[in-house]
Amino acid sequence: MIEIRSLRKEYITKKSRVVGVDDVSLTIQKGEIFGIVGYSGAGKSSLIRSINLLERPTKGQVIIDGVDLTKLSGKALRKQRLKIGMIFQHFSLISSKTVFDNVAFALKAAHQSPEAIRKRVLELLEMVGLSDKKDVYPAQLSGGQKQRVGIARALANNPTVLLCDEATSALDPTTTKAILQLLKKINKEFGITIVLITHEMEVVKELCHRVAVMQDGRIIEEGDVYGVFAQPKQALTKQFIESVLDFELPSHLIRESKGSIIKIQFEGQLASEAVLSDLLQEHPVKANILHGKIEYIQNIPLGILIVELTGNTNDIQAALDYINKRTSYVEVIHHA
Ligand SMILES: Nc1ncnc2c1ncn2[C@@H]1O[C@H](COP(=O)(O)OP(=O)(O)O)[C@@H](O)[C@H]1O
Ligand SMILES: [Mg+2]
């Protein structure tokens, strides 16, 4: 378990003092994949780098499995850090070393015998699917392959925590999916806690169990991923969600509509068709479906339906009340 308590990180430069993280408290459970999203400059890297003390917090505590890292230094800190692996946006591989040696380097730092190192490196490369690349140099690898080396290196010492700082931000969408699948597998097979920061909500949707949204050094919203997607509270969170759940209606459709255009959201097993057909049986209105989409988040469906209702004003209002009762969310986008 990772407990972050009242963490603050300030950067003091000659001219100014910049607050990177402003009083963040967060508990991340063992075996969980926890996402932190926010725009550039929100303080995500400052926060994640505080977890392994790559940045020393100005104030506050970072407690991992009961050990307060902020109380440690030197050898004791280095020992605890072996339990925390990290991967980076630009991979941070050593270009003059082969794939094998990049991974072995992490183990040498942990003082193991050459035979033990060789065995472990081959095992790690097998796990990330790079056995055939062990003797090549990073320059000969694709971005996705480089990140696989980064992952193998990060896992070398059997960490209990893996920190990912924009680990897929330099990769194309297909490669991103493959790397996210690998991270998912690592989390499942080894029970490693993963903390992942990203500016892409799509990544959170694919991978995370819980998510926190950061803005100006603070966490402004936090919750399980399905709940945050289905019912975001803060404006910024809504913005991030829209990048995944977005829909576009041709503007003439809205302009020329003689009825009410509504957005209905269905959560989990609430069947959208049933609600609409029941509605039409009980209310003298017409319903015209303009757009429909179902996203699966954590394997639970989240459906969005855009419907145009036509009829007289009272009937439309009664229909809206009915839908409101039967679904989790209704919004009127346009009234004729
Ligand atoms: N080494 C540093 N020195 C001075 N300011 C920094 C340093 N690192 C980050 N910052 C500042 O801290 C704030 C948060 O940055 P960062 O943690 O990198 O955000 P993010 O990862 O969300 O883009 C920004 O205003 C950034 O300019
Ligand atoms: Mg960053």
Side-chain angles (χ1 to χ4, degrees), residues 301-317:
L302 178 63
I304 288 177
L305 209 54
I306 310 295
V307 180
E308 180 189 45
L309 295 176
T310 47
N312 79 45
T313 316
N314 288 341
D315 292 337
I316 287 180
Q317 189 52 53

Side-chain angles (χ1 to χ4, degrees), residues 25-311:
S25 295
L26 197 60
T27 301
I28 298 169
Q29 301 298 336
K30 195 167 179 54
E32 165 166 76
I33 307 181
F34 194 94
I36 300 169
V37 288
Y39 287 125
S40 178
K44 306 180 299 296
S45 292
S46 300
L47 178 60
I48 206 168
R49 292 164 70 86
S50 296
I51 294 178
N52 60 0
L53 261 65
L54 269 182
E55 299 285 358
R56 198 165 261 282
T58 311
K59 268 192 204 140
Q61 295 166 291
V62 177
I63 301 164
I64 298 184
D65 296 333
V67 178
D68 185 350
L69 299 193
T70 58
K71 298 264 188 309
L72 306 178
S73 59
K75 211 172 164 185
L77 178 59
R78 280 199 296 278
K79 186 163 163 250
Q80 288 300 321
R81 269 202 188 126
L82 290 178
K83 297 186 188 166
I84 310 170
M86 187 159 186
I87 56 175
F88 305 88
Q89 179 173 3
H90 297 295
F91 324 118
S92 303
L93 303 180
I94 304 167
S95 59
S96 61
K97 287 185 190 292
T98 62
V99 165
F100 183 98
D101 287 337
N102 263 281
V103 179
F105 190 67
L107 288 162
K108 280 179 188 145
H111 307 298
Q112 302 205 26
S113 73
E115 308 88 84
I117 289 176
R118 185 175 163 76
K119 182 163 171 282
R120 180 68 180 142
V121 172
L122 295 179
E123 186 177 286
L124 288 157
L125 290 179
E126 162 109 47
M127 182 183 61
V128 300
L130 283 184
S131 297
D132 58 332
K133 299 285 183 205
K134 70 179 170 53
D135 296 321
V136 312
Y137 289 86
Q140 296 163 264
L141 299 175
S142 69
Q145 291 169 333
K146 285 179 193 165
Q147 195 56 290
R148 286 172 189 272
V149 179
I151 291 170
R153 181 185 56 186
L155 298 182
N157 296 301
N158 291 305
T160 56
V161 174
L162 177 64
L163 307 177
C164 312
D165 188 345
E166 301 276 4
T168 57
S169 297
L171 305 175
D172 63 68
T174 309
T175 311
T176 292
K177 280 226 158 126
I179 293 292
L180 297 181
Q181 284 312 314
L182 178 60
L183 292 175
K184 208 179 249 184
K185 180 180 114 178
I186 287 163
N187 168 259
K188 264 217 173 114
E189 280 181 19
F190 309 112
I192 296 179
T193 309
I194 297 181
V195 185
L196 166 150
I197 65 180
T198 178
H199 60 276
E200 293 171 296
M201 212 56 185
E202 192 66 41
V203 170
V204 172
K205 189 198 116 193
E206 290 284 328
L207 194 65
C208 298
H209 305 126
R210 283 201 301 144
V211 62
V213 182
M214 261 190 112
Q215 183 176 33
D216 297 332
R218 292 173 167 265
I219 287 177
I220 58 161
E221 185 158 0
E222 185 192 337
D224 78 88
V225 167
Y226 192 90
V228 169
F229 268 82
Q231 294 179 15
K233 293 184 185 72
Q234 304 295 329
L236 178 65
T237 313
K238 287 178 189 161
Q239 258 183 45
F240 273 109
I241 304 297
E242 270 168 19
S243 70
V244 174
L245 296 181
D246 203 17
F247 59 90
E248 254 178 56
L249 291 181
S251 58
H252 75 90
L253 258 184
I254 298 177
R255 227 175 25 241
E256 292 160 12
S257 169
K258 302 240 167 358
S260 293
I261 296 179
I262 59 173
K263 174 178 162 188
I264 311 171
Q265 189 168 303
F266 300 90
E267 288 176 32
Q269 296 310 323
L270 281 172
S272 53
E273 303 85 358
V275 174
L276 275 190
S277 61
D278 290 355
L279 169 80
L280 296 178
Q281 284 191 2
E282 294 175 29
H283 295 268
V285 291
K286 283 195 169 146
N288 179 23
I289 295 177
L290 303 178
H291 176 95
K293 179 171 187 174
I294 297 179
E295 285 286 340
Y296 286 83
I297 298 162
Q298 307 256 282
N299 295 320
I300 308 170
L302 178 63
I304 288 177
L305 209 54
I306 310 295
V307 180
E308 180 189 45
L309 295 176
T310 47

